[in-house]
Amino acid sequence: MRILHHIFRSPEGLIGFLVLLTIAAAGISAPFLFPKDPLSIVGAPLIAPFTNPALPFGTDSLGRDVLACLLHGARVSLAVGISAAAAALFIGAVMGTLAGFAGGLIDEALMRVTDAFQIVPSFLLALAFVSTIGASIPVVILAIALGAWVDPARLTRAQVLSIRERDYVASARAIGMHPLEIAFRQILPNALAPVIALAAIIVAGAILTEAALSFLGLGDPNVVTWGSMIAEGRNVLRSSPFLSIIPGIGLVVTVLGVYLLGEGINKALAAEVKR
């Protein structure tokens, strides 16, 4: 509760939280406000924004409702960002804990695996993975997570190395607690705070990566995303720039909200450390 208090006291944290809350509410309300398939044709193509009360953001080149696509796309962006960040943090925390606690050959082997993933740029790894496996939301989430778990793993390992020699860990060993139980029940919870601070960066990166993959035509073709909306709008960019500008603004605002909330979380964690 104290951390939440510190987050909401900082201007960045409060603004970021309100921005993301608004976007999340818009995404959650999409199936209720627009229960039909957002990819269905609802009117004439290329209706300009604010010229038709029934279609406030106009229609795209196929006659689909831009507002419906925008709200449904918000659901996809947030779902992919949060899911990919959760998967990356989970993989990174497990790998980093095992490497830092076990040491020796296990640590060396796991760190070499980490180095191998770090050598390949995360976007190229996601691009290759999706191109090979096929385009779907679960595959995109896994592809992004595979490129994002390295930093959490290294940070978790560093934290575990500094914690594993403390007195309460020695006491747990003395009473015969299983090594894995010591690692994941005694050490990992105390090592997670700085790792969780990386979540905002990973979420923002995941949202942008998903948009880039969709822009390149590697997203799920049956799901509307902001990246695919921007890609479709580029074909009529001169005559109807709003088709790319509107989802682009949504993307920028979402990433900015994630960044501001992350700054608030960092300040809250720093304030807790000082206590």
Side-chain angles (χ1 to χ4, degrees):
M1 294 300 294
R2 287 200 306 266
I3 292 180
L4 290 177
H5 177 69
H6 287 304
I7 291 174
F8 294 144
R9 283 189 62 185
S10 67
E12 301 93 337
L14 182 60
I15 293 172
F17 175 78
L18 293 176
V19 168
L20 291 180
L21 181 64
T22 302
I23 295 172
I28 292 171
S29 65
F32 305 101
L33 297 176
F34 303 99
K36 295 182 179 180
D37 185 355
L39 297 176
S40 61
I41 297 174
V42 297
L46 299 178
I47 297 176
F50 312 117
T51 59
N52 186 336
L55 301 165
F57 281 8
T59 59
D60 63 8
S61 57
L62 296 177
R64 298 174 295 197
D65 189 347
V66 173
L67 180 57
C69 292
L70 186 70
L71 296 188
H72 280 272
R75 299 178 67 207
V76 175
S77 292
L78 289 178
V80 169
I82 295 172
S83 300
L89 289 174
F90 176 78
I91 297 171
V94 171
M95 294 284 283
T97 301
L98 291 175
F101 184 74
L105 291 177
I106 295 177
D107 182 20
E108 189 70 19
L110 292 178
M111 284 301 98
R112 297 296 74 77
V113 172
T114 304
D115 291 340
F117 275 87
Q118 194 169 27
I119 290 172
V120 183
S122 58
F123 179 72
L124 292 182
L125 180 61
L127 188 67
F129 191 84
V130 174
S131 300
T132 303
I133 304 300
S136 67
I137 295 300
V139 171
V140 170
I141 292 172
L142 180 59
I144 295 172
L146 287 176
W149 66 269
V150 173
D151 288 338
R154 289 192 174 279
L155 184 55
T156 302
R157 175 180 176 271
Q159 290 294 112
V160 171
L161 287 174
S162 66
I163 293 174
R164 68 179 185 178
E165 302 302 330
R166 295 184 181 177
D167 292 340
Y168 70 88
V169 177
S171 300
R173 287 195 181 100
I175 63 176
M177 189 176 291
H178 193 278
L180 289 179
E181 190 176 4
I182 296 173
F184 290 102
R185 291 189 60 184
Q186 301 295 323
I187 297 178
L188 180 58
N190 294 300
L192 277 180
V195 179
I196 292 175
L198 288 175
I201 298 174
I202 298 174
V203 170
I207 291 173
L208 291 174
T209 301
E210 185 279 326
L213 291 173
S214 296
F215 182 83
L216 295 174
L218 293 174
D220 190 336
N222 299 314
V223 177
V224 60
T225 66
W226 288 344
S228 63
M229 291 175 68
I230 296 172
E232 291 169 4
R234 65 181 173 177
N235 297 323
V236 289
L237 191 59
R238 291 189 177 184
S239 60
S240 303
F242 68 91
L243 293 180
S244 292
I245 291 174
I246 290 175
I249 291 174
L251 195 61
V252 170
V253 170
T254 302
V255 172
L256 182 61
V258 172
Y259 171 77
L260 290 175
L261 182 59
E263 285 294 304
I265 293 173
N266 286 336
K267 288 187 176 181
L269 292 175
E272 282 295 304
V273 171
K274 291 180 180 178
R275 287 179 62 89

